């Protein structure tokens, strides 16, 4: 299957099976209609996950320059760290990202509707 | 919840299982005829099934509660292979349902204590689901990424052979060096601007045939050694009867601009159901 996978018919069709993980993650994590669940799971946003998983690391160079190199020693990357450490880390990371990229939030979901 | 749930839960006890909701679609004949035997859903879960609730039908799965806690998921989110497994499993179910009609996907890991809870939440949000379903019906999402090809470092273009010297240091060598640096910087800047212009014009053209569009964050250079610079990551909601135009337009834009343009799709319109 290629990227250009045309199928006839009226129904939306699944994305190509070869779709890369980043493409899927940026859709299944941040998108979809959000209704409150009974069990709260903090999924991180795609950007944080990206850095943690080193998927398509947009901000690593920037972060490294700013001295954020926690992932080099992050226990969660090799073993399951304690819940508290992860929570702290997520919070800290969010703050740092915000400081590093003040325009990121404004630009990330720029949406234009037509018609 | 302290009260044990009845009927729906099979062998596992009520405390040990929760209801995972993948997506919501209309309660049509096509929906009820949906064959879900081919999808396995979340690892460790029971069979993926339909949960009708009036005019809407949820696609759900009973999953072990112990495996769907925040704590477990935090670990999962730190493990690339694990998150890939779960993300692809979620995507596979959503995609399978979409072959039978419009579907509104829910984000990964939307969970309820039991079927009744899921049903009642669905009922509360029925209007939003209907609006979203109406919006995405007969449409698909197409992802478009524009890359600026990797180019040699502009500094190289300004590397001139060292001027002949008579043993000593060349006169004006420092100045020449500065000029080279300045030239390389200007060229870099120019290329960047050109790439952004290309991104804008590609986006504008695609918006012309889309019902709606969204910009996503661009990706940095992949560790796979992808040195291309990602200048546009956008996604478009396109009517199915215009789907063939997307590929043609992307090809034409690629030829016209010289940029590398990647098209992915058709996707279930994940990016176009959230804001209703």
């Amino acid at each position: 299957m290629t990227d250009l996978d045309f199928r006839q018919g009226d129904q939306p069709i699944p994305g190509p099976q070869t779709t890369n993980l980043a493409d899927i993650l940026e859709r299944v994590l941040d998108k979809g209609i959000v209704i409150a669940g009974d069990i709260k799971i903090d999924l991180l946003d795609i950007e944080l996950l990206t850095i943690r998983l080193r998927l398509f690391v947009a901000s690593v160079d920037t972060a490294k320059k700013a001295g954020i190199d926690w992932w080099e020693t992050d226990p969660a990357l090799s073993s399951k760290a304690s819940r508290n450490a992860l929570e702290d880390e997520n919070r800290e990371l969010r703050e740092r990202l915000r400081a590093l990229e003040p325009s990121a939030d404004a630009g990330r979901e720029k949406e234009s509707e037509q018609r | 919840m302290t009260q044990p749930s009845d009927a729906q839960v099979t062998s596992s006890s009520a405390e040990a299982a929760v209801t995972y909701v993948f997506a919501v679609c209309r309660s049509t004949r096509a929906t009820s005829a949906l064959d879900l035997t081919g999808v396995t859903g979340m690892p460790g879960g029971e069979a993926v099934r339909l949960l009708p609730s009036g005019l809407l039908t949820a696609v759900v799965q009973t999953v072990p509660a112990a495996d769907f806690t925040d704590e477990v998921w935090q670990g999962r989110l730190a493990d690339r292979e694990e998150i890939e497994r779960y993300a692809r499993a979620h995507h596979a179910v959503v995609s399978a349902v979409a072959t039978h009609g419009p579907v509104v996907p829910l984000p990964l890991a939307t969970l309820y204590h039991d079927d009744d809870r899921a049903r009642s939440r669905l009922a509360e949000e029925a209007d939003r689901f209907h609006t979203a379903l109406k919006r995405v019906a007969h449409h698909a999402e197409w992802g478009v990424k524009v890359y600026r090809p990797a180019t040699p470092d502009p500094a190289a273009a300004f590397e001139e052979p060292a001027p002949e010297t008579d043993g000593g240091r060349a006169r004006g060598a420092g100045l020449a060096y500065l000029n080279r640096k300045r030239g390389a910087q200007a060229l870099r800047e120019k290329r960047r601007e050109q790439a952004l212009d290309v991104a804008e014009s590609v986006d504008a053209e695609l918006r012309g045939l889309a019902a709606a569009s969204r910009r996503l964050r661009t990706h940095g250079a992949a560790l796979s050694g992808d040195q291309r610079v990602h200048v546009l990551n956008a996604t478009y909601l396109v009517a199915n009867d215009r789907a063939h135009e997307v590929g043609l337009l992307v090809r034409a834009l690629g030829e016209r601009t010289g940029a590398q343009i990647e098209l992915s799709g058709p996707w279930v319109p994940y990016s176009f159901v959230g804001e209703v």
Side-chain angles (χ1 to χ4, degrees), chain A residues 29-30 40-49 51-52 68 70 83 86-102 104-105 108, chain B residues 70 74 77:
Chain A
L29 286 180
D30 299 354
K40 169 113 182 56
I41 291 180
D42 184 6
L43 280 179
L44 307 181
D45 58 22
I46 184 69
E47 193 170 359
L48 288 172
L49 194 63
I51 294 179
R52 167 161 278 167
I68 304 173
W70 53 265
R83 179 78 184 88
L86 284 169
E87 267 179 357
D88 289 348
E89 185 183 285
N90 289 348
R91 198 179 315 113
E92 186 191 11
L93 193 57
R94 281 198 180 98
E95 281 162 13
R96 291 202 187 187
L97 265 177
R98 214 170 289 136
L100 273 172
E101 301 185 358
D105 284 336
R108 67 188 311 169
Chain B
D70 193 25
Q74 291 312 313
L77 287 163

Side-chain angles (χ1 to χ4, degrees), chain B residues 155-184:
Chain B
F158 285 84
E159 290 299 342
E160 292 148 26
E164 292 295 325
T165 60
D166 302 323
R169 279 221 326 220
R171 292 168 65 92
L175 186 61
Y177 172 81
L178 282 177
N179 282 338
R180 281 204 301 276
K181 281 283 178 206
R182 238 177 252 134

Side-chain angles (χ1 to χ4, degrees), chain B residues 251-273:
Chain B
R251 206 163 299 147
L253 285 166
E255 281 164 16
R256 202 180 77 198
T257 63
Q260 293 173 18
I261 308 179
E262 279 177 9
L263 178 63
S264 71
W267 290 87
V268 174
Y270 285 96
S271 306
F272 298 95
V273 298

Side-chain angles (χ1 to χ4, degrees), chain A residues 10 23 27 38 83 114, chain B residues 70 117 138 145 207 240:
Chain A
D10 194 38
D23 284 347
R27 288 176 170 85
D38 286 343
R83 179 78 184 88
Q114 298 188 329
Chain B
D70 193 25
R117 285 282 306 161
H138 314 297
K145 291 184 192 156
R207 274 188 278 131
N240 289 346

Side-chain angles (χ1 to χ4, degrees), chain B residues 220-251:
Chain B
L223 292 164
S224 56
D226 188 350
Q227 293 304 312
R228 301 173 302 170
V229 180
H230 193 185
V231 292
L232 177 73
N233 188 14
T235 193
Y236 304 89
L237 184 69
V238 179
N240 289 346
D241 59 10
R242 299 196 71 178
H244 63 285
E245 294 176 52
V246 181
L248 296 175
L249 180 57
V250 162
R251 206 163 299 147

Side-chain angles (χ1 to χ4, degrees), chain B residues 4-19 44-49 61-64 113-115:
Chain B
S5 157
D6 48 12
Q8 296 300 334
V9 182
T10 55
S11 53
S12 39
S13 76
E15 284 79 20
V18 292
T19 301
E46 294 176 13
V48 177
R49 62 197 162 85
Q61 182 182 19
T62 300
V63 295
H113 293 308
D114 55 32
D115 283 4

